[in-house]
């Protein structure tokens, strides 16, 4: 599957045929065609046959080839010289230095002094190999990834309620066919623009859209109803809606009786959140609460979709659980065109957490603490199950332990200097390491701190699979050959494993890795054993679970295939039963509680963070694209005119936002589209405008998600 495509004659000259593949950015994984062009890059064109985006691409997808250019990316390993500079080196020198330092650290401090930090943008093959490398080659439990910062609270709540987590338990095509969608803490107009058509089509078909967001975003402007709660109060809002569902007699009693458990306890918890009380907490007027319930309960089908707004909180698991309770009480889960779903953010955020780079999981979404799971995966790997370490630290806890318990770190596909909460502290922890190695496409802010930097391939230069927010496993295809001096991440792991004494088990061909992943995932919750590269190419992706032929059906809507017949995949989960022991969904009683950090006299304003359309995540790649920088050149502080007037600030004036963790400075952007008690900053930039300098690392007790979305700050004017 490594071919760069066929050649065809065009007007008397030979031209490369377009290679169908997928965008390197968000979890939509939009289809696109790539055609090799001069200068070792590619041209992007429409791929209308892929059903998710139907040819549409946002600016980030259109301009993605710009990062392939030699001036934007790394093309040689770099090592730290005696004078402290990063200087070019050969691959053998760089890999030898990494291996030598890992061996030294393990000998002096033990295996758990070695850390591995992965990324939600890595392909399934890379995520799988990275988890195996940490546990088999290094013998460390200290591995996690930046996806912990993305959808871990939704994953925890979904597993708790349904017995299984998949971002969306139904395809995106179901959204326009439902009657009402409550979109909580999501702004797809800017985070995944091609997805906005699904919500526009919903309204064109007579459905309604309710957007919950403290800002009047581009998405909220298109809603039938916009609820603007105070940041950190989404849990109270969901409980208030459930209270009204009960009080107005809108509970689907037959569904609750037949398909759920735990209703009475959840009902009692919700009834303590009467409308006027919820209005005082959230700032959402009671008439809007009642109208939301009417719009949600009137049609035959409805959905709740959450994103980082309610999830990136120290109570994110309970918050998502409250929205799931609303779905269950109204019979909106496990039925056609209905359900709860999470809009996963990163390109492979779903697959990244399924196959072993998360601290507590083994491939196939198996639990690392499950003896049967350990035996199965150890059998595929050819090792003793007892040799596999147990669960390690979650992402922030791992970063916080750097330089003390964890002395050497390998980073692959992440930039925590910009993306982690309490980022200045994390940067200090990275600087305190005995040794840091980073694999990346560009010299990110994290790579700048490394002792060794390895230049690795990009999406157009490699083949591999990703899993979209729908749970659709997709095949990215290699379109061009990478530059000299650049290697794939699988080659890196192969080279390091050999130097550390493990000669076999780390192939460099993605398809060979995927074949092993299939066997490792077989029988697990995320079963890929019935999927292969041929099917992915022919079928435009396959939804998991997809067991091997004759292994039975997943938790979906299709019949059990005949023995020997390939499983069709599972686009829609839970239509017959939930993935719990008794097939019933679980209500979980939850109650409102304050955010980890509430405003006070010293820090009287709330800060929330998010993204802008022209940049992506930490901006390590998109900030190297001229067109995107022209559209979004730097950070800003969005604030309401009333707050601006109190400060004496005008549009464009520099403002300092100060929290208990640090200070960030950026120009003012004044708008009535935000609450007067709240300011917003995008988090894509390093330096003095780094929003994550301010954010709170307080962790959800279940998901270990930091509280990115709400913290107490004060805002000050800065002399020009």
């Amino acid at each position: 599957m490594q071919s760069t495509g066929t050649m065809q004659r065009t007007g008397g000259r030979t031209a490369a045929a377009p290679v169908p593949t997928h965008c390197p950015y968000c979890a939509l994984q939009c289809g696109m065609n790539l055609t090799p062009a001069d200068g070792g890059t590619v041209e992007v064109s429409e791929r209308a046959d892929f059903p998710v985006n139907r040819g549409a691409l946002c600016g980030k997808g259109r301009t993605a080839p710009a990062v392939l250019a030699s001036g934007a990316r790394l093309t040689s390993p770099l090592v730290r010289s005696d004078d402290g500079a990063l200087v070019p080196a050969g691959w053998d020198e760089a890999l030898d230095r990494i291996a030598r330092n890992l061996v030294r650290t393990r000998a002096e401090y033990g295996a758990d002094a070695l850390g591995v930090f992965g990324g939600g943008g890595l392909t399934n093959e890379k995520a799988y190999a990275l988890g195996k490398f940490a546990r088999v080659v290094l013998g460390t439990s200290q591995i996690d990834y930046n996806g912990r910062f993305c959808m871990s609270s939704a994953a925890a709540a979904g597993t708790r309620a349904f017995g299984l987590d998949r971002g969306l338990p139904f395809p995106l095509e179901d959204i326009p066919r439902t009657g009402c969608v409550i979109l909580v803490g999501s702004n797809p107009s800017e985070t995944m623009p091609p997805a906005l058509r699904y919500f526009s089509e919903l309204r064109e078909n007579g459905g309604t859209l309710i957007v919950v967001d403290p800002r009047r975003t581009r998405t909220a402007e298109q809603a039938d109803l916009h609820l603007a709660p105070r940041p950190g109060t989404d849990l109270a809002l969901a409980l208030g809606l459930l209270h009204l569902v009960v009080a107005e007699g809108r509970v689907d009693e037959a569904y609750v009786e037949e398909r759920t458990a735990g209703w009475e306890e959840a009902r009692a918890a919700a009834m303590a959140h009467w409308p006027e009380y919820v209005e005082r907490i959230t700032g959402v007027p009671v008439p809007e609460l009642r109208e939301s319930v009417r719009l949600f309960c009137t049609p035959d089908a409805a959905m709740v979709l959450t994103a980082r707004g309610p999830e990136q909180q120290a109570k994110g698991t309970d918050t998502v659980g409250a929205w799931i309770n609303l779905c269950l009480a109204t019979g909106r889960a496990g039925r056609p065109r209905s359900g709860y779903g999470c809009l996963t953010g990163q390109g492979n955020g779903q697959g990244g957490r399924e196959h072993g780079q998360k601290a507590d999981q083994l491939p196939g979404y198996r639990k690392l603490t499950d003896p049967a799971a350990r035996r199965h995966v150890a059998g595929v790997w050819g090792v003793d199950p007892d040799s596999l370490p147990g669960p390690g630290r979650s992402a922030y806890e791992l970063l916080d332990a750097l330089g003390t318990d964890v002395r050497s770190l390998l980073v692959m596909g992440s930039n925590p200097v910009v993306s982690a909460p309490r980022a200045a502290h994390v940067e200090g922890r990275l600087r305190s390491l005995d040794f840091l190695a980073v694999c990346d496409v560009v010299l990110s802010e994290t790579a700048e701190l490394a002792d060794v930097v390895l230049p690795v391939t990009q999406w157009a230069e490699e083949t591999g699979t990703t899993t979209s927010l729908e749970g659709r496993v997709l095949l990215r295809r290699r379109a061009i050959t990478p530059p000299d001096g650049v290697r794939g991440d699988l080659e890196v792991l192969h080279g390091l494993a050999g130097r550390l004494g493990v000669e076999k088990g780390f192939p460099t061909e993605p398809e060979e890795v995927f074949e092993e992943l299939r066997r490792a995932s077989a029988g697990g919750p995320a079963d890929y054993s019935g999927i292969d590269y041929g099917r992915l190419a022919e079928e435009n992706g396959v939804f998991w679970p997809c067991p091997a032929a004759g292994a039975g059906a997943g938790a979906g809507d299709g019949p059990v295939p005949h023995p020997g017949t390939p499983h069709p995949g599972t686009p829609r989960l839970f239509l017959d039963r939930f993935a719990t022991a008794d097939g019933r969904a679980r209500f979980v009683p939850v109650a409102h509680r304050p955010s980890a950090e509430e405003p006070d006299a010293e820090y009287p304003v709330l800060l929330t963070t998010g993204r802008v359309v022209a940049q992506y995540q930490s901006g390590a790649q998109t900030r190297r694209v001229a067109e995107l920088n022209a559209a979004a050149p730097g950070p800003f502080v969005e604030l309401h005119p009333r707050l601006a007037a109190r400060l004496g600030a005008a549009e464009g004036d520099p403002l300092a936002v100060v929290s208990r963790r640090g200070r960030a400075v950026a120009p003012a952007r004044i708008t009535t589209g935000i609450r007067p008690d709240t300011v917003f900053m995008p988090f894509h930039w390093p330096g003095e405008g780094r929003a994550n300098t301010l954010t709170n690392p307080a962790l959800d007790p279940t998901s270990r998600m930091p509280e990115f979305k709400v913290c107490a700050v004060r805002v000050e004017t800065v002399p020009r």
Side-chain angles (χ1 to χ4, degrees):
M1 302 301 297
Q2 296 294 307
S3 170
T4 58
T6 60
M7 306 295 287
Q8 59 187 8
R9 299 290 298 177
T10 304
R13 61 183 178 85
T14 302
V19 177
T21 190
H22 297 274
C23 179
Y25 291 118
C26 82
L28 283 182
Q29 287 298 279
C30 291
M32 58 169 57
N33 286 319
L34 300 181
T35 304
D38 294 337
T41 186
V42 292
E43 294 178 353
V44 171
S45 59
E46 179 179 303
R47 182 184 167 192
D49 70 308
F50 187 61
V52 170
N53 61 307
R54 296 173 245 168
L57 292 170
C58 73
K60 294 186 290 290
R62 286 189 297 98
T63 60
V67 190
L68 295 167
S70 59
R73 52 98 58 85
L74 296 167
T75 55
S76 170
L78 303 173
V79 298
R80 189 73 61 182
S81 66
D82 291 341
D83 65 2
L86 282 172
V87 298
W91 271 93
D92 284 340
E93 179 186 351
L95 291 173
D96 287 347
R97 185 178 294 200
I98 295 173
R100 188 167 58 248
N101 279 277
L102 295 178
V103 168
R104 180 185 298 123
T105 297
R106 186 166 58 185
E108 291 186 23
Y109 301 103
D112 273 358
L114 302 175
V116 177
F117 199 83
L122 301 179
T123 62
N124 290 317
E125 292 81 359
K126 295 178 186 180
Y128 172 84
L130 188 62
K132 181 181 178 182
F133 177 83
R135 296 180 174 103
V136 173
V137 178
L138 301 181
T140 183
S141 66
Q142 301 304 302
I143 176 172
D144 210 74
Y145 82 125
N146 62 18
R148 177 79 68 169
F149 299 157
C150 188
M151 73 299 293
S152 58
S153 292
T159 301
R160 194 165 67 177
F162 306 131
L164 181 69
D165 156 53
R166 195 180 82 186
L168 292 180
F170 41 74
L172 285 161
E173 67 185 38
D174 285 0
I175 291 174
R177 300 164 53 219
T178 194
C180 177
V181 172
I182 302 180
L183 189 61
V184 189
S186 177
N187 182 17
S189 290
E190 303 212 38
T191 59
M192 45 181 66
L196 194 65
R197 71 192 325 165
Y198 291 99
F199 301 101
S200 299
E201 290 170 6
L202 164 73
R203 299 186 68 211
E204 291 167 5
N205 292 340
T208 55
L209 175 63
I210 302 170
V211 170
V212 179
D213 198 307
R215 303 167 61 222
R216 189 162 182 81
T217 63
R218 296 180 186 179
T219 304
E221 288 175 353
Q222 300 187 42
D224 297 279
L225 180 61
H226 172 214
L227 309 181
R230 182 176 178 266
T233 64
D234 308 90
L235 174 54
L237 177 62
L239 287 163
L241 297 181
L242 183 53
H243 177 110
L244 287 169
V245 165
V246 176
E248 295 177 5
R250 297 180 183 271
V251 175
D252 189 332
E253 302 285 358
Y255 173 92
V256 168
E257 175 68 23
E258 180 182 352
R259 301 204 59 189
T260 72
W263 166 234
E264 289 305 320
E265 294 84 356
R267 177 186 180 279
M271 295 314 288
H273 298 77
W274 60 94
E276 292 75 16
Y277 172 58
V278 170
E279 179 179 326
R280 288 200 301 274
I281 294 170
T282 65
V284 177
V286 171
E288 292 184 6
L289 299 176
R290 295 188 182 278
E291 178 65 1
S292 299
V293 169
R294 185 188 70 81
L295 292 174
F296 186 68
C297 292
T298 298
D300 294 335
M303 298 174 180
V304 172
L305 304 176
T306 67
R308 307 302 80 76
E311 298 163 16
Q312 287 182 327
Q313 299 183 29
K315 53 181 182 289
T317 302
D318 284 354
T319 300
V320 174
W323 289 102
I324 291 175
N325 286 349
L326 178 66
C327 289
L328 293 176
T330 54
R332 306 303 204 188
R335 283 180 167 173
R337 299 176 292 110
S338 287
Y340 163 77
C342 162
L343 296 179
T344 303
Q346 293 192 78
N348 197 32
Q350 181 69 48
R353 67 184 184 268
E354 294 169 3
H355 297 301
Q357 66 172 332
K358 194 161 173 274
D360 55 355
Q361 287 177 351
L362 288 169
Y365 228 149
R366 288 181 161 91
K367 293 181 179 178
L368 191 53
T369 54
D370 178 1
R374 294 170 67 88
R375 285 194 300 273
H376 174 85
V377 174
V380 174
W381 289 350
V383 300
D384 184 343
D386 292 338
S387 71
L388 298 178
R393 293 175 172 88
S394 70
Y396 179 76
E397 292 166 305
L398 173 58
L399 295 172
D400 191 39
L402 299 181
T404 53
D405 295 333
V406 177
R407 309 299 293 255
S408 292
L409 182 70
L410 172 65
V411 176
M412 188 172 283
S414 187
N415 187 20
V417 166
V418 178
S419 63
R422 197 185 174 196
H425 171 74
V426 169
E427 181 178 346
R429 293 289 84 214
L430 286 160
R431 291 181 183 275
S432 73
L433 282 164
D434 295 346
F435 182 76
L436 172 62
V438 174
C439 303
D440 211 329
V441 171
V442 298
L443 190 65
S444 69
E445 288 72 24
T446 302
E448 289 176 352
L449 305 181
D451 298 286
V452 177
V453 183
L454 299 179
V456 291
T457 51
Q458 298 195 53
W459 99 112
E461 302 162 346
E462 60 187 12
T463 293
T465 62
T466 61
T467 306
S468 74
L469 77 171
E470 302 176 295
R472 188 195 301 252
V473 185
L474 301 164
L475 182 64
R476 285 187 189 167
R477 297 167 176 88
R478 175 172 165 168
I480 55 173
T481 301
D484 292 339
V486 174
R487 295 184 183 180
D489 295 281
L490 296 178
E491 294 177 270
V492 170
L493 296 176
H494 173 85
L496 289 176
R499 285 167 170 79
L500 294 169
V502 180
E503 299 292 339
K504 296 182 179 180
F506 290 88
T508 60
E509 289 299 317
E511 190 167 8
E512 188 175 347
V513 177
F514 190 80
E515 288 301 306
E516 183 178 300
L517 182 157
R518 292 175 63 196
R519 292 187 285 118
S521 74
D527 191 335
Y528 284 29
S529 60
I531 305 172
D532 59 37
Y533 274 28
R535 282 194 67 178
L536 295 178
E538 293 170 4
E539 300 178 29
N540 250 337
V542 178
F543 291 86
W544 72 259
C546 183
D557 62 347
V560 178
H562 294 296
T565 302
H567 191 283
T570 314
R572 296 171 181 85
L573 297 168
F574 313 137
L575 295 185
D576 299 319
R577 66 190 312 275
F578 294 98
T580 56
D582 59 5
R584 291 173 173 265
R586 300 287 189 270
F587 282 98
V588 177
V590 294
H592 168 71
R593 58 184 185 272
S595 298
E597 188 176 76
E598 291 287 333
D600 57 20
E602 187 175 3
Y603 300 97
V605 178
L606 290 167
L607 168 71
T608 192
T609 64
R611 287 165 50 185
V612 296
V613 67
Q615 301 288 351
Y616 181 72
Q617 302 297 75
S618 76
Q621 295 187 40
T622 51
R623 284 187 276 111
R624 287 166 168 80
V625 179
E627 180 179 330
L628 300 179
N629 282 335
F636 56 87
V637 180
E638 186 177 279
L639 72 164
H640 192 275
R642 295 209 311 249
L643 178 56
R646 288 204 301 272
L647 296 169
E651 181 77 14
D653 284 353
L655 295 177
V657 183
V658 184
S659 78
R660 290 177 173 86
R661 289 153 296 280
R663 181 176 187 265
V665 177
R669 183 173 293 182
I670 300 171
T671 173
T672 57
I674 191 168
R675 291 174 55 96
D677 58 3
T678 301
V679 295
F680 167 84
M681 291 187 71
F683 58 79
H684 309 290
W685 288 273
E688 70 170 4
R690 181 174 58 186
N692 277 321
T693 296
L694 309 169
T695 49
N696 191 350
L699 300 179
D700 181 289
T702 302
S703 68
R704 315 309 288 170
M705 167 74 85
E707 189 154 80
F708 286 98
K709 277 297 183 282
V710 53
C711 70
V713 299
R714 66 173 178 268
V715 185
E716 303 168 342
T717 56
V718 176
R720 286 185 179 269

